[in-house]
PDB file of all heavy atoms in Angstrom:
ATOM      1  N   CYS A 207      84.301  73.640 124.615  1.00 92.00           N
ATOM      2  CA  CYS A 207      83.906  73.422 126.003  1.00 92.00           C
ATOM      3  C   CYS A 207      85.082  73.660 126.944  1.00 92.00           C
ATOM      4  O   CYS A 207      86.239  73.542 126.551  1.00 92.00           O
ATOM      5  CB  CYS A 207      83.404  71.984 126.190  1.00 92.00           C
ATOM      6  SG  CYS A 207      81.920  71.573 125.244  1.00 92.00           S
ATOM      7  N   PRO A 208      84.791  73.953 128.220  1.00 90.00           N
ATOM      8  CA  PRO A 208      85.863  74.014 129.218  1.00 90.00           C
ATOM      9  C   PRO A 208      86.438  72.624 129.444  1.00 90.00           C
ATOM     10  O   PRO A 208      85.894  71.629 128.944  1.00 90.00           O
ATOM     11  CB  PRO A 208      85.145  74.558 130.461  1.00 90.00           C
ATOM     12  CG  PRO A 208      83.716  74.189 130.270  1.00 90.00           C
ATOM     13  CD  PRO A 208      83.471  74.264 128.786  1.00 90.00           C
ATOM     14  N   PRO A 209      87.541  72.517 130.197  1.00 90.00           N
ATOM     15  CA  PRO A 209      88.157  71.194 130.404  1.00 90.00           C
ATOM     16  C   PRO A 209      87.188  70.154 130.960  1.00 90.00           C
ATOM     17  O   PRO A 209      87.283  68.975 130.616  1.00 90.00           O
ATOM     18  CB  PRO A 209      89.287  71.490 131.392  1.00 90.00           C
ATOM     19  CG  PRO A 209      89.656  72.908 131.108  1.00 90.00           C
ATOM     20  CD  PRO A 209      88.363  73.592 130.776  1.00 90.00           C
ATOM     21  N   GLU A 210      86.255  70.549 131.828  1.00 94.00           N
ATOM     22  CA  GLU A 210      85.216  69.665 132.338  1.00 94.00           C
ATOM     23  C   GLU A 210      83.861  70.267 131.987  1.00 94.00           C
ATOM     24  O   GLU A 210      83.630  71.458 132.212  1.00 94.00           O
ATOM     25  CB  GLU A 210      85.346  69.464 133.847  1.00 94.00           C
ATOM     26  CG  GLU A 210      86.623  68.738 134.247  1.00 94.00           C
ATOM     27  CD  GLU A 210      86.675  68.424 135.735  1.00 94.00           C
ATOM     28  OE1 GLU A 210      85.726  68.828 136.463  1.00 94.00           O
ATOM     29  OE2 GLU A 210      87.638  67.775 136.174  1.00 94.00           O
ATOM     30  N   PHE A 211      82.971  69.459 131.444  1.00 95.00           N
ATOM     31  CA  PHE A 211      81.698  69.963 130.938  1.00 95.00           C
ATOM     32  C   PHE A 211      80.620  68.908 131.094  1.00 95.00           C
ATOM     33  O   PHE A 211      80.907  67.717 131.301  1.00 95.00           O
ATOM     34  CB  PHE A 211      81.834  70.361 129.465  1.00 95.00           C
ATOM     35  CG  PHE A 211      82.425  69.284 128.594  1.00 95.00           C
ATOM     36  CD1 PHE A 211      81.623  68.327 127.996  1.00 95.00           C
ATOM     37  CD2 PHE A 211      83.799  69.221 128.400  1.00 95.00           C
ATOM     38  CE1 PHE A 211      82.171  67.317 127.210  1.00 95.00           C
ATOM     39  CE2 PHE A 211      84.363  68.218 127.610  1.00 95.00           C
ATOM     40  CZ  PHE A 211      83.548  67.275 127.013  1.00 95.00           C
ATOM     41  N   THR A 212      79.377  69.326 130.972  1.00 96.00           N
ATOM     42  CA  THR A 212      78.249  68.403 131.038  1.00 96.00           C
ATOM     43  C   THR A 212      77.808  68.042 129.620  1.00 96.00           C
ATOM     44  O   THR A 212      78.167  68.719 128.647  1.00 96.00           O
ATOM     45  CB  THR A 212      77.068  69.030 131.783  1.00 96.00           C
ATOM     46  OG1 THR A 212      76.539  70.122 131.006  1.00 96.00           O
ATOM     47  CG2 THR A 212      77.497  69.548 133.156  1.00 96.00           C
ATOM     48  N   VAL A 213      77.020  66.990 129.518  1.00 97.00           N
ATOM     49  CA  VAL A 213      76.469  66.618 128.220  1.00 97.00           C
ATOM     50  C   VAL A 213      75.574  67.729 127.688  1.00 97.00           C
ATOM     51  O   VAL A 213      75.550  68.017 126.490  1.00 97.00           O
ATOM     52  CB  VAL A 213      75.705  65.285 128.316  1.00 97.00           C
ATOM     53  CG1 VAL A 213      74.930  65.004 127.034  1.00 97.00           C
ATOM     54  CG2 VAL A 213      76.672  64.135 128.584  1.00 97.00           C
ATOM     55  N   GLY A 214      74.837  68.386 128.590  1.00 96.00           N
ATOM     56  CA  GLY A 214      73.993  69.495 128.173  1.00 96.00           C
ATOM     57  C   GLY A 214      74.793  70.638 127.577  1.00 96.00           C
ATOM     58  O   GLY A 214      74.377  71.259 126.591  1.00 96.00           O
ATOM     59  N   GLU A 215      75.942  70.945 128.160  1.00 95.00           N
ATOM     60  CA  GLU A 215      76.789  72.004 127.616  1.00 95.00           C
ATOM     61  C   GLU A 215      77.342  71.622 126.256  1.00 95.00           C
ATOM     62  O   GLU A 215      77.424  72.455 125.340  1.00 95.00           O
ATOM     63  CB  GLU A 215      77.918  72.315 128.602  1.00 95.00           C
ATOM     64  CG  GLU A 215      77.429  73.010 129.869  1.00 95.00           C
ATOM     65  CD  GLU A 215      78.478  73.079 130.959  1.00 95.00           C
ATOM     66  OE1 GLU A 215      79.410  72.238 130.955  1.00 95.00           O
ATOM     67  OE2 GLU A 215      78.362  73.964 131.829  1.00 95.00           O
ATOM     68  N   LEU A 216      77.707  70.359 126.088  1.00 97.00           N
ATOM     69  CA  LEU A 216      78.181  69.892 124.788  1.00 97.00           C
ATOM     70  C   LEU A 216      77.067  69.942 123.753  1.00 97.00           C
ATOM     71  O   LEU A 216      77.296  70.322 122.594  1.00 97.00           O
ATOM     72  CB  LEU A 216      78.732  68.474 124.913  1.00 97.00           C
ATOM     73  CG  LEU A 216      79.288  67.849 123.632  1.00 97.00           C
ATOM     74  CD1 LEU A 216      80.486  68.630 123.106  1.00 97.00           C
ATOM     75  CD2 LEU A 216      79.674  66.383 123.876  1.00 97.00           C
ATOM     76  N   ARG A 217      75.859  69.566 124.169  1.00 97.00           N
ATOM     77  CA  ARG A 217      74.726  69.620 123.236  1.00 97.00           C
ATOM     78  C   ARG A 217      74.472  71.042 122.760  1.00 97.00           C
ATOM     79  O   ARG A 217      74.208  71.277 121.567  1.00 97.00           O
ATOM     80  CB  ARG A 217      73.466  69.052 123.909  1.00 97.00           C
ATOM     81  CG  ARG A 217      72.195  69.228 123.069  1.00 97.00           C
ATOM     82  CD  ARG A 217      71.018  68.506 123.693  1.00 97.00           C
ATOM     83  NE  ARG A 217      70.829  68.848 125.079  1.00 97.00           N
ATOM     84  CZ  ARG A 217      70.192  69.947 125.505  1.00 97.00           C
ATOM     85  NH1 ARG A 217      69.688  70.810 124.612  1.00 97.00           N
ATOM     86  NH2 ARG A 217      70.046  70.182 126.790  1.00 97.00           N
ATOM     87  N   ARG A 218      74.599  72.015 123.655  1.00 96.00           N
ATOM     88  CA  ARG A 218      74.373  73.400 123.251  1.00 96.00           C
ATOM     89  C   ARG A 218      75.448  73.891 122.282  1.00 96.00           C
ATOM     90  O   ARG A 218      75.199  74.779 121.469  1.00 96.00           O
ATOM     91  CB  ARG A 218      74.280  74.293 124.483  1.00 96.00           C
ATOM     92  CG  ARG A 218      72.909  74.200 125.172  1.00 96.00           C
ATOM     93  CD  ARG A 218      72.787  75.150 126.337  1.00 96.00           C
ATOM     94  NE  ARG A 218      73.454  74.640 127.527  1.00 96.00           N
ATOM     95  CZ  ARG A 218      72.877  73.812 128.396  1.00 96.00           C
ATOM     96  NH1 ARG A 218      71.652  73.368 128.189  1.00 96.00           N
ATOM     97  NH2 ARG A 218      73.530  73.407 129.467  1.00 96.00           N
ATOM     98  N   VAL A 219      76.635  73.298 122.343  1.00 96.00           N
ATOM     99  CA  VAL A 219      77.662  73.611 121.351  1.00 96.00           C
ATOM    100  C   VAL A 219      77.218  73.130 119.976  1.00 96.00           C
ATOM    101  O   VAL A 219      77.268  73.875 118.984  1.00 96.00           O
ATOM    102  CB  VAL A 219      79.013  72.968 121.738  1.00 96.00           C
ATOM    103  CG1 VAL A 219      79.974  72.974 120.550  1.00 96.00           C
ATOM    104  CG2 VAL A 219      79.631  73.691 122.918  1.00 96.00           C
ATOM    105  N   TYR A 220      76.788  71.871 119.907  1.00 97.00           N
ATOM    106  CA  TYR A 220      76.311  71.350 118.626  1.00 97.00           C
ATOM    107  C   TYR A 220      75.142  72.182 118.101  1.00 97.00           C
ATOM    108  O   TYR A 220      75.068  72.472 116.898  1.00 97.00           O
ATOM    109  CB  TYR A 220      75.879  69.890 118.786  1.00 97.00           C
ATOM    110  CG  TYR A 220      77.004  68.898 118.633  1.00 97.00           C
ATOM    111  CD1 TYR A 220      77.757  68.482 119.733  1.00 97.00           C
ATOM    112  CD2 TYR A 220      77.335  68.369 117.387  1.00 97.00           C
ATOM    113  CE1 TYR A 220      78.793  67.558 119.596  1.00 97.00           C
ATOM    114  CE2 TYR A 220      78.359  67.449 117.239  1.00 97.00           C
ATOM    115  CZ  TYR A 220      79.089  67.055 118.342  1.00 97.00           C
ATOM    116  OH  TYR A 220      80.119  66.154 118.191  1.00 97.00           O
ATOM    117  N   GLU A 221      74.229  72.558 118.965  1.00 97.00           N
ATOM    118  CA  GLU A 221      73.079  73.348 118.530  1.00 97.00           C
ATOM    119  C   GLU A 221      73.504  74.710 118.007  1.00 97.00           C
ATOM    120  O   GLU A 221      72.968  75.203 117.002  1.00 97.00           O
ATOM    121  CB  GLU A 221      72.096  73.498 119.696  1.00 97.00           C
ATOM    122  CG  GLU A 221      71.401  72.199 120.082  1.00 97.00           C
ATOM    123  CD  GLU A 221      70.466  72.361 121.266  1.00 97.00           C
ATOM    124  OE1 GLU A 221      70.717  73.267 122.110  1.00 97.00           O
ATOM    125  OE2 GLU A 221      69.488  71.592 121.372  1.00 97.00           O
ATOM    126  N   ALA A 222      74.476  75.348 118.671  1.00 96.00           N
ATOM    127  CA  ALA A 222      74.930  76.668 118.241  1.00 96.00           C
ATOM    128  C   ALA A 222      75.681  76.592 116.918  1.00 96.00           C
ATOM    129  O   ALA A 222      75.477  77.419 116.019  1.00 96.00           O
ATOM    130  CB  ALA A 222      75.817  77.289 119.319  1.00 96.00           C
ATOM    131  N   VAL A 223      76.552  75.603 116.768  1.00 96.00           N
ATOM    132  CA  VAL A 223      77.350  75.491 115.547  1.00 96.00           C
ATOM    133  C   VAL A 223      76.476  75.086 114.368  1.00 96.00           C
ATOM    134  O   VAL A 223      76.612  75.631 113.262  1.00 96.00           O
ATOM    135  CB  VAL A 223      78.498  74.489 115.744  1.00 96.00           C
ATOM    136  CG1 VAL A 223      79.267  74.289 114.436  1.00 96.00           C
ATOM    137  CG2 VAL A 223      79.445  74.971 116.840  1.00 96.00           C
ATOM    138  N   TRP A 224      75.588  74.137 114.574  1.00 96.00           N
ATOM    139  CA  TRP A 224      74.730  73.677 113.490  1.00 96.00           C
ATOM    140  C   TRP A 224      73.504  74.562 113.278  1.00 96.00           C
ATOM    141  O   TRP A 224      72.899  74.539 112.207  1.00 96.00           O
ATOM    142  CB  TRP A 224      74.256  72.245 113.767  1.00 96.00           C
ATOM    143  CG  TRP A 224      75.290  71.199 113.504  1.00 96.00           C
ATOM    144  CD1 TRP A 224      76.440  71.335 112.779  1.00 96.00           C
ATOM    145  CD2 TRP A 224      75.260  69.835 113.952  1.00 96.00           C
ATOM    146  NE1 TRP A 224      77.123  70.148 112.743  1.00 96.00           N
ATOM    147  CE2 TRP A 224      76.435  69.207 113.445  1.00 96.00           C
ATOM    148  CE3 TRP A 224      74.370  69.085 114.713  1.00 96.00           C
ATOM    149  CZ2 TRP A 224      76.725  67.869 113.694  1.00 96.00           C
ATOM    150  CZ3 TRP A 224      74.660  67.750 114.964  1.00 96.00           C
ATOM    151  CH2 TRP A 224      75.822  67.151 114.457  1.00 96.00           C
ATOM    152  N   GLY A 225      73.112  75.330 114.289  1.00 94.00           N
ATOM    153  CA  GLY A 225      71.921  76.167 114.171  1.00 94.00           C
ATOM    154  C   GLY A 225      70.624  75.386 114.202  1.00 94.00           C
ATOM    155  O   GLY A 225      69.655  75.758 113.536  1.00 94.00           O
TER     156      GLY A 225
END
Side-chain angles (χ1 to χ4, degrees):
C207 297
E210 295 186 357
F211 52 88
T212 67
V213 170
E215 290 169 336
L216 181 63
R217 173 173 52 82
R218 281 184 281 274
V219 165
Y220 274 90
E221 291 178 332
V223 176
W224 283 343

